[in-house]
Every structure is written in C-alpha cells, then in structure tokens.
Amino acid sequence: MQHFYNTQRYEHLAALLREGATVEAGKWIEQAIAETEGRELAFWYVIRTGRQLDLPVPNVNQIMADIYAALAMAPDDPETEEGVSLALLSLAVRTERLEEPARWIAYLRRVRRTSPEPFLIDFNLGVIQWRRMRPAAAVRHFTRALNGMGAWPEERMQYNRGRYFSGHCYRALTLLETGHLAEAERDVETAVALFDSIRNVQVTDLFLILARASLALHKGELQEARRHLQMVHAGGKHSRYYSASYPLRIEVDLVAARIAQAEGNAAAFDHFWGRALATAHEQDLVVTARRLLAVREGGSRRVKAPR
C-alpha cells in the first residue's frame, strides 16, 4: 500500500490539501474510488477514512463501512490490514470508543504483533495511553514510534513527517507528566525544527503550541505559557481553537486551566476546566472526562466519570 503514496493520483491529492482545497480533495478521493480496484481501491477507502476522521464529529458509520470495504478489496493483505488498524485506532482516539471491541482489539493485537513496522500503530497507542493517565506507557509507545519512523528513508518519511512532528509534541507532553523536563524540552526543540520542513502533508501547529505552552508552564514561566496559548485563540471565531477537533479543544482548555491554577486564579480555572468537562460530556469522551476529574482532584488517580 505504501507505494500508492508515490503515484501521481496521490500527489495531486496532497497538493490540493496543501492548498486548503478541501472540497476539491474530497471530490478527487471519490473519483479515485470510482476508478480503481483491488489493493489500490482498498488504499483509497483507507484514505477516505482519514478525511472522515478530520471532521469535528467523525461519521462513524461511514468510517466503518470504508474499513469493511477496504478489507473486502484486499483480503489478507498485510499493508491494508495495517492501514485499517490505523483507521480503527484513530477512530478510538477521536471518539474514545470502538464498535465490537473484543473483535477489533484482538485484530489490532494480531496486526501489531505481525507487522514489521508497527510504528504508526504505536503512535496511536501512545495517545490512548496518555488519555488513560498512563504517561509512562505512553512515552514507551511514542519512543518506539519515533525511533522506527526516524529510521525511514526520506522518500517514505515525507508522507509521515506530520505524524513524526506531532509524535515529538505528544511525547513532550507525556514526558512533562512524568517529570522529565529536559527530555521534553529536547522534543519541543525537535518539533520546532520539523514543523518548517513539512511539505507533503497538511498539519496544524496546534500540537506544537500546546507542547510549548505546557513546557513553559512546567518551567514556571507563566507569562510565556499564556503567550503561546493566546496564539490558539487569535482570530476569534476563525481561530485554531474552533477549527480543531473536540479532543484538541479540550487539551487547550486544560492547559489554560492549569496556567490559571498555577497563578492562583480559581475563577479562571473553574471556567476553563468546566468548559473542557462540558465538551467531554457533550461528545461522550468518557476517558477524557475521567482524566479531567482526576485533574480537579489534584492527582492522577483514576476516578469514575458521571454519565
């Protein structure tokens, strides 16, 4: 499946996405689905799941239909199975739930165990472990993912550079939670250098802003932390905040709440923390709600979220 990224058809899609032509990109994907077959068609079904996952509220039924269609087009194909695994894990990250969990968890374990390069799978597992308040486990997953991707040749890395960039941002956030400030700072510096080198994919700098704000917060540089976070809200209703996924909006509010807490501003803490929890409940993000309640309690112990 990897070689389909090197085709003119995919290159044209990447160009459309870089230009922000999302409507045209969607039409191009539909055309590719109509004109291809077999493993290439499976590839485009997986690509369409990625576009669905970028929506503020992913269409779960469409994503699962594309997953089943991809598997039907390329049965027992390891690369297709890995693409499907990534789609399933991305869906779990975005919605914090998985249909038929027993079936798909067994499937994901098999694919990860048999994959020669399970690096992107490890990336998503890192995000899930971080949300579950297991930062040490998250660091291990992110480290495996980053080490593996870092060894890729440039022609392959160029299509995964956005994930590589955000992996350093995520690992910085988890390292801060485990008290490894110096290592987190190195990850942030790496992410800063990587961001300007991303050419073949569209990626937001919101991950980097969160990592830099969190790093400044942990260093006690509250004014610097606020400065970074203000970039998220620049532009009002057209800001990065309102264009981000709901899980990312929650992270922005959580960092703002932690800055307010460090400043001793209880009213601001209640505002940002309350908005984050309300979003988690509205979107049925149960794992994140538990994490937010743990923050409110002042520790990382697990508490049961109200439903």
Side-chain angles (χ1 to χ4, degrees):
M1 183 175 285
Q2 188 66 33
H3 71 276
F4 292 123
Y5 285 105
N6 298 320
T7 61
Q8 289 185 344
R9 195 189 295 271
Y10 184 82
E11 289 282 1
H12 184 72
L13 173 65
L16 289 173
L17 292 174
R18 286 195 300 272
E19 295 166 4
T22 55
V23 174
E24 290 80 0
K27 292 178 180 177
W28 188 257
I29 292 171
E30 296 304 319
Q31 182 179 339
I33 288 173
E35 295 177 352
T36 56
E37 58 185 17
R39 292 178 69 242
E40 187 175 5
L41 177 53
F43 169 82
W44 284 104
Y45 277 129
V46 171
I47 292 296
R48 189 163 68 177
T49 67
R51 298 295 298 152
Q52 288 287 334
L53 287 162
D54 284 339
L55 296 174
V57 180
N59 186 331
V60 176
N61 291 334
Q62 179 66 67
I63 290 169
M64 293 306 299
D66 283 344
I67 283 172
Y68 286 120
L71 291 173
M73 287 297 102
D76 301 319
D77 177 64
E79 288 189 325
T80 299
E81 288 186 338
E82 188 150 354
V84 164
S85 296
L86 291 174
L88 285 165
L89 283 169
S90 296
L91 185 60
V93 167
R94 289 295 304 275
T95 65
E96 296 188 352
R97 58 186 181 272
L98 194 62
E99 294 183 357
E100 300 181 83
R103 171 190 177 181
W104 290 116
I105 288 172
Y107 177 86
L108 292 166
R109 285 174 175 167
R110 177 181 65 77
V111 174
R112 184 183 179 278
R113 187 175 61 250
T114 57
S115 171
E117 295 185 336
F119 313 134
L120 297 180
I121 293 175
D122 272 311
F123 176 96
N124 280 330
L125 289 173
V127 177
I128 290 170
Q129 293 287 45
W130 177 49
R131 298 258 189 91
R132 296 176 69 192
M133 295 174 287
R134 295 177 175 176
V139 168
R140 289 195 295 271
H141 280 295
F142 286 132
T143 299
R144 281 197 290 266
L146 291 169
N147 288 345
M149 287 188 286
W152 277 340
E154 177 57 30
E155 60 268 25
R156 183 169 184 188
M157 171 60 83
Q158 63 180 328
Y159 298 105
N160 292 288
R161 197 177 299 277
R163 191 78 61 109
Y164 190 59
F165 153 78
S166 56
H168 280 285
C169 296
Y170 269 122
R171 189 171 66 176
L173 292 169
T174 55
L175 284 166
L176 288 170
E177 292 191 17
T178 58
H180 293 85
L181 193 147
E183 291 92 331
E185 190 161 16
R186 284 196 291 271
D187 267 333
V188 170
E189 291 170 355
T190 300
V192 170
L194 279 169
F195 185 73
D196 290 334
S197 71
I198 298 172
R199 296 288 182 272
N200 291 69
V201 292
Q202 188 181 37
V203 66
T204 176
D205 62 350
L206 186 50
F207 295 107
L208 181 56
I209 292 172
L210 285 170
R212 296 180 85 171
S214 296
L215 176 62
L217 172 61
H218 279 76
K219 292 169 71 174
E221 300 170 354
L222 303 185
Q223 185 174 350
E224 181 72 1
R226 284 198 309 275
R227 185 182 70 82
H228 285 300
L229 210 59
Q230 284 167 357
M231 295 173 62
V232 179
H233 294 284
K237 287 295 182 181
H238 302 288
S239 69
R240 295 174 179 87
Y241 181 85
Y242 289 104
S243 63
S245 65
Y246 288 107
L248 270 178
R249 293 188 202 183
I250 290 170
E251 294 307 321
V252 171
D253 285 335
L254 180 55
V255 173
R258 284 173 161 158
I259 293 172
Q261 188 176 49
E263 293 172 330
N265 188 337
F269 174 86
D270 287 341
H271 168 74
F272 289 113
W273 180 88
R275 187 165 70 174
L277 187 65
T279 303
H281 285 324
E282 288 166 5
Q283 301 303 316
D284 200 24
L285 299 173
V286 178
V287 175
T288 291
R290 291 190 184 121
R291 178 164 159 253
L292 290 167
L293 288 168
V295 170
R296 181 78 182 190
E297 293 295 317
S300 59
R301 66 184 180 84
R302 297 182 189 177
V303 291
K304 193 171 184 178
R307 295 300 303 274

Short mmCIF file of all heavy atoms in Angstrom, two decimals, residues 202-258:
data_model
loop_
_atom_site.label_atom_id
_atom_site.label_comp_id
_atom_site.label_asym_id
_atom_site.label_seq_id
_atom_site.Cartn_x
_atom_site.Cartn_y
_atom_site.Cartn_z
N GLN A 202 -0.70 18.30 5.10
CA GLN A 202 -1.23 19.45 5.81
C GLN A 202 -1.25 19.10 7.30
O GLN A 202 -1.80 18.08 7.70
CB GLN A 202 -2.63 19.77 5.31
CG GLN A 202 -3.21 21.06 5.85
CD GLN A 202 -4.61 21.30 5.32
OE1 GLN A 202 -5.39 20.36 5.16
NE2 GLN A 202 -4.94 22.53 5.03
N VAL A 203 -0.66 19.94 8.13
CA VAL A 203 -0.62 19.65 9.57
C VAL A 203 -0.76 20.96 10.34
O VAL A 203 -0.29 22.02 9.90
CB VAL A 203 0.70 18.93 9.94
CG1 VAL A 203 1.90 19.83 9.74
CG2 VAL A 203 0.67 18.43 11.37
N THR A 204 -1.45 20.89 11.45
CA THR A 204 -1.65 22.08 12.28
C THR A 204 -0.49 22.25 13.26
O THR A 204 0.15 21.27 13.67
CB THR A 204 -2.97 21.97 13.08
OG1 THR A 204 -3.08 23.11 13.95
CG2 THR A 204 -2.99 20.71 13.95
N ASP A 205 -0.22 23.50 13.62
CA ASP A 205 0.81 23.77 14.62
C ASP A 205 0.22 23.78 16.03
O ASP A 205 0.91 24.12 16.98
CB ASP A 205 1.51 25.10 14.34
CG ASP A 205 0.55 26.29 14.41
OD1 ASP A 205 -0.68 26.07 14.49
OD2 ASP A 205 1.02 27.44 14.37
N LEU A 206 -1.03 23.37 16.16
CA LEU A 206 -1.69 23.39 17.47
C LEU A 206 -0.99 22.46 18.46
O LEU A 206 -0.85 22.77 19.64
CB LEU A 206 -3.16 23.01 17.31
CG LEU A 206 -4.05 23.11 18.56
CD1 LEU A 206 -3.89 24.45 19.25
CD2 LEU A 206 -5.49 22.87 18.19
N PHE A 207 -0.52 21.30 17.97
CA PHE A 207 0.21 20.38 18.86
C PHE A 207 1.46 21.07 19.42
O PHE A 207 1.78 20.93 20.60
CB PHE A 207 0.64 19.13 18.09
CG PHE A 207 -0.50 18.27 17.61
CD1 PHE A 207 -0.84 18.23 16.27
CD2 PHE A 207 -1.23 17.51 18.50
CE1 PHE A 207 -1.88 17.44 15.82
CE2 PHE A 207 -2.28 16.72 18.07
CZ PHE A 207 -2.61 16.69 16.72
N LEU A 208 2.15 21.80 18.55
CA LEU A 208 3.37 22.47 18.98
C LEU A 208 3.07 23.58 19.97
O LEU A 208 3.79 23.76 20.96
CB LEU A 208 4.10 23.03 17.75
CG LEU A 208 5.42 23.75 18.02
CD1 LEU A 208 6.40 22.85 18.77
CD2 LEU A 208 6.04 24.23 16.71
N ILE A 209 2.00 24.34 19.73
CA ILE A 209 1.62 25.40 20.66
C ILE A 209 1.32 24.82 22.04
O ILE A 209 1.76 25.35 23.08
CB ILE A 209 0.40 26.16 20.12
CG1 ILE A 209 0.79 26.95 18.87
CG2 ILE A 209 -0.17 27.10 21.18
CD1 ILE A 209 -0.40 27.57 18.15
N LEU A 210 0.58 23.71 22.07
CA LEU A 210 0.27 23.07 23.35
C LEU A 210 1.53 22.59 24.06
O LEU A 210 1.67 22.76 25.28
CB LEU A 210 -0.68 21.88 23.12
CG LEU A 210 -2.14 22.22 22.83
CD1 LEU A 210 -2.89 20.98 22.38
CD2 LEU A 210 -2.81 22.82 24.06
N ALA A 211 2.44 21.99 23.30
CA ALA A 211 3.68 21.49 23.90
C ALA A 211 4.53 22.65 24.46
O ALA A 211 5.07 22.55 25.56
CB ALA A 211 4.47 20.69 22.88
N ARG A 212 4.62 23.74 23.70
CA ARG A 212 5.43 24.87 24.15
C ARG A 212 4.79 25.56 25.36
O ARG A 212 5.50 25.96 26.30
CB ARG A 212 5.61 25.87 23.00
CG ARG A 212 6.39 25.29 21.83
CD ARG A 212 6.56 26.27 20.69
NE ARG A 212 7.72 27.13 20.91
CZ ARG A 212 8.19 27.96 19.99
NH1 ARG A 212 7.60 28.05 18.80
NH2 ARG A 212 9.25 28.70 20.24
N ALA A 213 3.47 25.68 25.35
CA ALA A 213 2.79 26.29 26.50
C ALA A 213 2.95 25.41 27.74
O ALA A 213 3.20 25.92 28.84
CB ALA A 213 1.31 26.49 26.18
N SER A 214 2.82 24.10 27.57
CA SER A 214 2.96 23.18 28.71
C SER A 214 4.38 23.18 29.25
O SER A 214 4.60 23.12 30.47
CB SER A 214 2.55 21.76 28.29
OG SER A 214 1.18 21.73 27.94
N LEU A 215 5.36 23.24 28.35
CA LEU A 215 6.76 23.29 28.78
C LEU A 215 7.01 24.56 29.59
O LEU A 215 7.63 24.50 30.68
CB LEU A 215 7.68 23.24 27.57
CG LEU A 215 9.18 23.37 27.85
CD1 LEU A 215 9.68 22.21 28.71
CD2 LEU A 215 9.97 23.43 26.53
N ALA A 216 6.54 25.70 29.10
CA ALA A 216 6.73 26.95 29.84
C ALA A 216 6.04 26.89 31.20
O ALA A 216 6.57 27.36 32.21
CB ALA A 216 6.18 28.12 29.01
N LEU A 217 4.85 26.28 31.23
CA LEU A 217 4.13 26.14 32.50
C LEU A 217 4.94 25.32 33.50
O LEU A 217 5.06 25.70 34.67
CB LEU A 217 2.78 25.47 32.23
CG LEU A 217 1.95 25.06 33.46
CD1 LEU A 217 1.59 26.28 34.30
CD2 LEU A 217 0.69 24.33 33.02
N HIS A 218 5.49 24.20 33.05
CA HIS A 218 6.27 23.35 33.96
C HIS A 218 7.58 24.01 34.39
O HIS A 218 8.12 23.67 35.45
CB HIS A 218 6.56 22.00 33.29
CG HIS A 218 5.41 21.04 33.37
ND1 HIS A 218 4.30 21.15 32.58
CD2 HIS A 218 5.20 19.95 34.18
CE1 HIS A 218 3.45 20.17 32.88
NE2 HIS A 218 3.96 19.45 33.83
N LYS A 219 8.07 24.95 33.60
CA LYS A 219 9.27 25.69 33.97
C LYS A 219 8.95 26.90 34.86
O LYS A 219 9.85 27.62 35.29
CB LYS A 219 10.01 26.15 32.71
CG LYS A 219 10.61 25.00 31.91
CD LYS A 219 11.10 25.45 30.55
CE LYS A 219 12.35 26.29 30.64
NZ LYS A 219 12.90 26.60 29.28
N GLY A 220 7.67 27.11 35.11
CA GLY A 220 7.27 28.24 35.94
C GLY A 220 7.21 29.56 35.19
O GLY A 220 7.08 30.62 35.82
N GLU A 221 7.28 29.51 33.86
CA GLU A 221 7.26 30.73 33.04
C GLU A 221 5.82 30.98 32.60
O GLU A 221 5.43 30.74 31.45
CB GLU A 221 8.20 30.57 31.85
CG GLU A 221 9.65 30.32 32.26
CD GLU A 221 10.54 29.91 31.10
OE1 GLU A 221 10.01 29.71 29.98
OE2 GLU A 221 11.76 29.78 31.30
N LEU A 222 5.00 31.48 33.51
CA LEU A 222 3.56 31.57 33.28
C LEU A 222 3.20 32.57 32.19
O LEU A 222 2.29 32.34 31.39
CB LEU A 222 2.83 31.92 34.57
CG LEU A 222 3.07 30.95 35.74
CD1 LEU A 222 2.19 31.33 36.94
CD2 LEU A 222 2.79 29.52 35.32
N GLN A 223 3.91 33.69 32.13
CA GLN A 223 3.64 34.67 31.09
C GLN A 223 3.94 34.09 29.71
O GLN A 223 3.19 34.30 28.75
CB GLN A 223 4.47 35.93 31.32
CG GLN A 223 4.15 37.06 30.34
CD GLN A 223 4.88 38.34 30.69
OE1 GLN A 223 5.48 38.48 31.75
NE2 GLN A 223 4.82 39.32 29.80
N GLU A 224 5.03 33.34 29.60
CA GLU A 224 5.38 32.70 28.33
C GLU A 224 4.35 31.63 27.96
O GLU A 224 3.97 31.48 26.79
CB GLU A 224 6.78 32.07 28.43
CG GLU A 224 7.27 31.39 27.18
CD GLU A 224 7.65 32.37 26.08
OE1 GLU A 224 7.55 33.59 26.29
OE2 GLU A 224 8.04 31.90 25.00
N ALA A 225 3.88 30.89 28.96
CA ALA A 225 2.86 29.87 28.70
C ALA A 225 1.58 30.51 28.16
O ALA A 225 0.99 30.03 27.20
CB ALA A 225 2.56 29.11 29.99
N ARG A 226 1.17 31.64 28.78
CA ARG A 226 -0.03 32.34 28.29
C ARG A 226 0.18 32.88 26.88
O ARG A 226 -0.73 32.84 26.05
CB ARG A 226 -0.39 33.50 29.24
CG ARG A 226 -1.04 33.08 30.54
CD ARG A 226 -1.74 34.25 31.20
NE ARG A 226 -0.87 35.41 31.32
CZ ARG A 226 -0.02 35.63 32.31
NH1 ARG A 226 0.06 34.74 33.29
NH2 ARG A 226 0.74 36.70 32.34
N ARG A 227 1.39 33.37 26.61
CA ARG A 227 1.68 33.93 25.28
C ARG A 227 1.49 32.87 24.20
O ARG A 227 0.89 33.14 23.15
CB ARG A 227 3.10 34.48 25.24
CG ARG A 227 3.45 35.18 23.93
CD ARG A 227 4.89 35.66 23.93
NE ARG A 227 5.82 34.55 23.85
CZ ARG A 227 6.16 33.94 22.72
NH1 ARG A 227 5.60 34.30 21.57
NH2 ARG A 227 7.04 32.95 22.73
N HIS A 228 2.00 31.67 24.45
CA HIS A 228 1.84 30.60 23.47
C HIS A 228 0.36 30.25 23.30
O HIS A 228 -0.12 30.08 22.17
CB HIS A 228 2.62 29.36 23.91
CG HIS A 228 4.09 29.48 23.71
ND1 HIS A 228 4.66 29.68 22.48
CD2 HIS A 228 5.12 29.40 24.59
CE1 HIS A 228 5.98 29.75 22.60
NE2 HIS A 228 6.28 29.58 23.87
N LEU A 229 -0.36 30.15 24.40
CA LEU A 229 -1.75 29.71 24.33
C LEU A 229 -2.64 30.76 23.65
O LEU A 229 -3.63 30.41 23.01
CB LEU A 229 -2.27 29.39 25.72
CG LEU A 229 -3.35 28.29 25.79
CD1 LEU A 229 -2.84 26.99 25.21
CD2 LEU A 229 -3.83 28.10 27.22
N GLN A 230 -2.27 32.02 23.77
CA GLN A 230 -3.06 33.07 23.13
C GLN A 230 -3.06 32.93 21.61
O GLN A 230 -3.99 33.37 20.94
CB GLN A 230 -2.52 34.45 23.53
CG GLN A 230 -2.91 34.86 24.95
CD GLN A 230 -2.13 36.05 25.47
OE1 GLN A 230 -1.23 36.56 24.79
NE2 GLN A 230 -2.45 36.50 26.67
N MET A 231 -2.02 32.29 21.06
CA MET A 231 -1.95 32.07 19.62
C MET A 231 -3.09 31.18 19.14
O MET A 231 -3.54 31.28 18.00
CB MET A 231 -0.61 31.45 19.24
CG MET A 231 0.59 32.34 19.50
SD MET A 231 2.14 31.44 19.22
CE MET A 231 1.97 31.04 17.48
N VAL A 232 -3.56 30.30 20.03
CA VAL A 232 -4.65 29.39 19.66
C VAL A 232 -5.93 30.16 19.41
O VAL A 232 -6.72 29.82 18.51
CB VAL A 232 -4.87 28.33 20.76
CG1 VAL A 232 -6.01 27.40 20.39
CG2 VAL A 232 -3.59 27.55 21.01
N HIS A 233 -6.15 31.22 20.18
CA HIS A 233 -7.41 31.95 20.11
C HIS A 233 -7.34 33.16 19.17
O HIS A 233 -8.37 33.82 18.96
CB HIS A 233 -7.82 32.41 21.51
CG HIS A 233 -8.15 31.27 22.42
ND1 HIS A 233 -9.33 30.56 22.34
CD2 HIS A 233 -7.43 30.69 23.43
CE1 HIS A 233 -9.34 29.61 23.26
NE2 HIS A 233 -8.20 29.66 23.93
N ALA A 234 -6.18 33.45 18.62
CA ALA A 234 -6.07 34.58 17.70
C ALA A 234 -6.98 34.37 16.50
O ALA A 234 -6.97 33.33 15.87
CB ALA A 234 -4.61 34.74 17.25
N GLY A 235 -7.78 35.36 16.19
CA GLY A 235 -8.69 35.24 15.05
C GLY A 235 -10.14 35.02 15.44
O GLY A 235 -11.00 34.85 14.57
N GLY A 236 -10.44 35.01 16.74
CA GLY A 236 -11.82 34.88 17.19
C GLY A 236 -12.47 33.59 16.72
O GLY A 236 -11.93 32.50 16.92
N LYS A 237 -13.62 33.71 16.07
CA LYS A 237 -14.37 32.53 15.62
C LYS A 237 -13.65 31.78 14.50
O LYS A 237 -14.05 30.67 14.15
CB LYS A 237 -15.76 32.95 15.15
CG LYS A 237 -16.71 33.35 16.28
CD LYS A 237 -17.02 32.15 17.18
CE LYS A 237 -18.00 32.53 18.27
NZ LYS A 237 -18.31 31.39 19.18
N HIS A 238 -12.62 32.39 13.93
CA HIS A 238 -11.85 31.72 12.88
C HIS A 238 -10.50 31.23 13.42
O HIS A 238 -9.58 30.95 12.66
CB HIS A 238 -11.62 32.67 11.71
CG HIS A 238 -12.87 33.19 11.10
ND1 HIS A 238 -13.71 32.39 10.33
CD2 HIS A 238 -13.47 34.41 11.15
CE1 HIS A 238 -14.75 33.10 9.94
NE2 HIS A 238 -14.64 34.31 10.42
N SER A 239 -10.42 31.10 14.72
CA SER A 239 -9.16 30.72 15.35
C SER A 239 -8.90 29.23 15.23
O SER A 239 -9.76 28.45 14.84
CB SER A 239 -9.18 31.11 16.84
OG SER A 239 -10.11 30.30 17.54
N ARG A 240 -7.68 28.84 15.59
CA ARG A 240 -7.31 27.42 15.60
C ARG A 240 -8.22 26.64 16.56
O ARG A 240 -8.49 25.47 16.33
CB ARG A 240 -5.86 27.26 16.06
CG ARG A 240 -4.81 27.84 15.11
CD ARG A 240 -3.45 27.74 15.77
NE ARG A 240 -2.36 28.24 14.94
CZ ARG A 240 -1.98 29.50 14.91
NH1 ARG A 240 -2.63 30.40 15.64
NH2 ARG A 240 -0.97 29.87 14.16
N TYR A 241 -8.66 27.30 17.63
CA TYR A 241 -9.47 26.61 18.63
C TYR A 241 -10.74 26.05 18.00
O TYR A 241 -11.08 24.88 18.18
CB TYR A 241 -9.82 27.58 19.76
CG TYR A 241 -10.66 26.96 20.87
CD1 TYR A 241 -10.04 26.28 21.92
CD2 TYR A 241 -12.04 27.05 20.86
CE1 TYR A 241 -10.80 25.72 22.93
CE2 TYR A 241 -12.80 26.48 21.87
CZ TYR A 241 -12.18 25.82 22.91
OH TYR A 241 -12.93 25.24 23.90
N TYR A 242 -11.45 26.86 17.23
CA TYR A 242 -12.73 26.44 16.69
C TYR A 242 -12.59 25.55 15.46
O TYR A 242 -13.55 24.89 15.05
CB TYR A 242 -13.60 27.66 16.37
CG TYR A 242 -14.08 28.34 17.63
CD1 TYR A 242 -13.50 29.53 18.06
CD2 TYR A 242 -15.08 27.77 18.42
CE1 TYR A 242 -13.92 30.15 19.24
CE2 TYR A 242 -15.50 28.38 19.59
CZ TYR A 242 -14.91 29.56 19.99
OH TYR A 242 -15.32 30.16 21.16
N SER A 243 -11.42 25.51 14.86
CA SER A 243 -11.20 24.60 13.73
C SER A 243 -10.62 23.26 14.17
O SER A 243 -10.49 22.34 13.36
CB SER A 243 -10.27 25.25 12.70
OG SER A 243 -8.98 25.49 13.26
N ALA A 244 -10.27 23.15 15.45
CA ALA A 244 -9.65 21.93 15.96
C ALA A 244 -10.71 20.89 16.32
O ALA A 244 -11.89 21.20 16.50
CB ALA A 244 -8.81 22.25 17.20
N SER A 245 -10.28 19.64 16.42
CA SER A 245 -11.16 18.57 16.88
C SER A 245 -11.53 18.82 18.34
O SER A 245 -10.84 19.55 19.06
CB SER A 245 -10.47 17.22 16.74
OG SER A 245 -9.35 17.15 17.62
N TYR A 246 -12.61 18.19 18.78
CA TYR A 246 -13.04 18.39 20.16
C TYR A 246 -11.99 17.92 21.18
O TYR A 246 -11.77 18.61 22.18
CB TYR A 246 -14.39 17.71 20.40
CG TYR A 246 -15.52 18.45 19.73
CD1 TYR A 246 -16.14 17.93 18.59
CD2 TYR A 246 -15.97 19.67 20.22
CE1 TYR A 246 -17.17 18.62 17.96
CE2 TYR A 246 -17.00 20.36 19.59
CZ TYR A 246 -17.59 19.83 18.46
OH TYR A 246 -18.60 20.52 17.84
N PRO A 247 -11.32 16.77 20.97
CA PRO A 247 -10.27 16.39 21.92
C PRO A 247 -9.16 17.44 22.04
O PRO A 247 -8.65 17.70 23.13
CB PRO A 247 -9.74 15.08 21.35
CG PRO A 247 -10.90 14.49 20.62
CD PRO A 247 -11.58 15.68 20.00
N LEU A 248 -8.80 18.08 20.91
CA LEU A 248 -7.77 19.11 20.97
C LEU A 248 -8.28 20.38 21.66
O LEU A 248 -7.54 21.04 22.38
CB LEU A 248 -7.27 19.44 19.56
CG LEU A 248 -6.09 18.61 19.06
CD1 LEU A 248 -5.72 19.00 17.64
CD2 LEU A 248 -4.89 18.75 19.97
N ARG A 249 -9.54 20.72 21.44
CA ARG A 249 -10.10 21.87 22.16
C ARG A 249 -10.04 21.64 23.66
O ARG A 249 -9.75 22.56 24.44
CB ARG A 249 -11.56 22.10 21.74
CG ARG A 249 -11.75 22.54 20.32
CD ARG A 249 -13.21 22.91 20.08
NE ARG A 249 -13.56 22.85 18.68
CZ ARG A 249 -14.74 23.18 18.18
NH1 ARG A 249 -15.70 23.59 19.01
NH2 ARG A 249 -15.00 23.10 16.89
N ILE A 250 -10.32 20.42 24.07
CA ILE A 250 -10.26 20.09 25.49
C ILE A 250 -8.85 20.27 26.03
O ILE A 250 -8.64 20.81 27.12
CB ILE A 250 -10.76 18.65 25.73
CG1 ILE A 250 -12.27 18.58 25.49
CG2 ILE A 250 -10.41 18.16 27.13
CD1 ILE A 250 -12.83 17.17 25.47
N GLU A 251 -7.84 19.84 25.24
CA GLU A 251 -6.46 19.99 25.69
C GLU A 251 -6.08 21.46 25.84
O GLU A 251 -5.36 21.83 26.77
CB GLU A 251 -5.50 19.28 24.72
CG GLU A 251 -5.65 17.78 24.69
CD GLU A 251 -5.55 17.13 26.05
OE1 GLU A 251 -4.73 17.57 26.88
OE2 GLU A 251 -6.32 16.18 26.30
N VAL A 252 -6.56 22.30 24.91
CA VAL A 252 -6.30 23.73 25.02
C VAL A 252 -6.89 24.28 26.31
O VAL A 252 -6.23 25.01 27.07
CB VAL A 252 -6.88 24.48 23.80
CG1 VAL A 252 -6.81 26.00 24.02
CG2 VAL A 252 -6.13 24.11 22.53
N ASP A 253 -8.14 23.94 26.60
CA ASP A 253 -8.79 24.42 27.82
C ASP A 253 -8.12 23.86 29.07
O ASP A 253 -8.02 24.55 30.09
CB ASP A 253 -10.27 24.05 27.81
CG ASP A 253 -11.09 24.93 26.87
OD1 ASP A 253 -10.66 26.07 26.61
OD2 ASP A 253 -12.14 24.47 26.39
N LEU A 254 -7.64 22.63 28.99
CA LEU A 254 -6.97 22.04 30.15
C LEU A 254 -5.65 22.75 30.45
O LEU A 254 -5.34 23.02 31.62
CB LEU A 254 -6.73 20.54 29.91
CG LEU A 254 -6.04 19.78 31.04
CD1 LEU A 254 -6.79 19.97 32.36
CD2 LEU A 254 -5.93 18.30 30.69
N VAL A 255 -4.88 23.07 29.42
CA VAL A 255 -3.64 23.82 29.65
C VAL A 255 -3.96 25.20 30.21
O VAL A 255 -3.29 25.68 31.14
CB VAL A 255 -2.82 23.93 28.34
CG1 VAL A 255 -1.62 24.85 28.54
CG2 VAL A 255 -2.34 22.56 27.89
N ALA A 256 -5.00 25.85 29.68
CA ALA A 256 -5.40 27.16 30.21
C ALA A 256 -5.81 27.06 31.68
O ALA A 256 -5.47 27.92 32.50
CB ALA A 256 -6.56 27.72 29.38
N ALA A 257 -6.52 25.99 32.02
CA ALA A 257 -6.92 25.78 33.41
C ALA A 257 -5.71 25.58 34.31
O ALA A 257 -5.66 26.11 35.43
CB ALA A 257 -7.86 24.58 33.51
N ARG A 258 -4.72 24.83 33.82
CA ARG A 258 -3.53 24.59 34.64
C ARG A 258 -2.71 25.86 34.83
O ARG A 258 -2.11 26.08 35.89
CB ARG A 258 -2.69 23.48 33.99
CG ARG A 258 -3.29 22.09 34.22
CD ARG A 258 -2.58 21.02 33.45
NE ARG A 258 -2.85 19.70 34.02
CZ ARG A 258 -2.72 18.57 33.35
NH1 ARG A 258 -2.33 18.58 32.08
NH2 ARG A 258 -2.97 17.41 33.94
#
